[in-house]
Amino acid sequence: MLVKAKGTQQSVAASRLLDGEAVWLGTGNIWVEDVAQAAVFDGADAIAEALSFAKAEEKRQIVVDVYPLDVEITEAGTRPTHLRERLKGIGPTVRRDLGKQARQPAA
């Protein structure tokens, strides 16, 4: 189930149609694979404009499942406020050898 975005700071998430990779709309309307690099849109007009661009990309079949999500800005970059969205940014919790987390160096 999709979590409704209600905050004043939001980003836009989607899945890239070519490979199913979770992506977020970054600065300059470029899709990025790391949620920390997602652009933060502040205010209703900015969010509507970003969603309009993303929906156009969906019509062009670049991405699918476009939706806004609440985020906050941290020292590490953009961070979703909802746990479900944070998990989408790293990969499956039952298989740490899969998804975006598998690409990170071990801590």
Side-chain angles (χ1 to χ4, degrees), residues 15-39:
S15 294
R16 190 168 45 216
L17 191 57
L18 187 63
D19 57 7
E21 185 79 30
V23 291
W24 295 266
L25 191 58
T27 303
N29 289 335
I30 296 172
W31 295 102
V32 296
E33 295 183 6
D34 183 356
V35 68
Q37 297 175 351

Side-chain angles (χ1 to χ4, degrees), residues 62-103:
I62 304 298
V63 294
V64 294
D65 192 24
V66 169
Y67 62 93
L69 65 147
D70 290 333
V71 295
E72 60 188 1
I73 299 171
T74 69
E75 289 182 16
T78 305
R79 179 176 184 254
T81 58
H82 194 276
L83 178 60
R84 175 190 181 272
E85 296 300 330
R86 277 187 245 148
L87 293 175
K88 182 177 180 175
I90 60 172
T93 56
V94 294
R95 292 278 313 265
R96 296 196 179 271
D97 59 324
L98 298 175
K100 296 176 189 296
Q101 62 196 342
R103 300 178 203 150

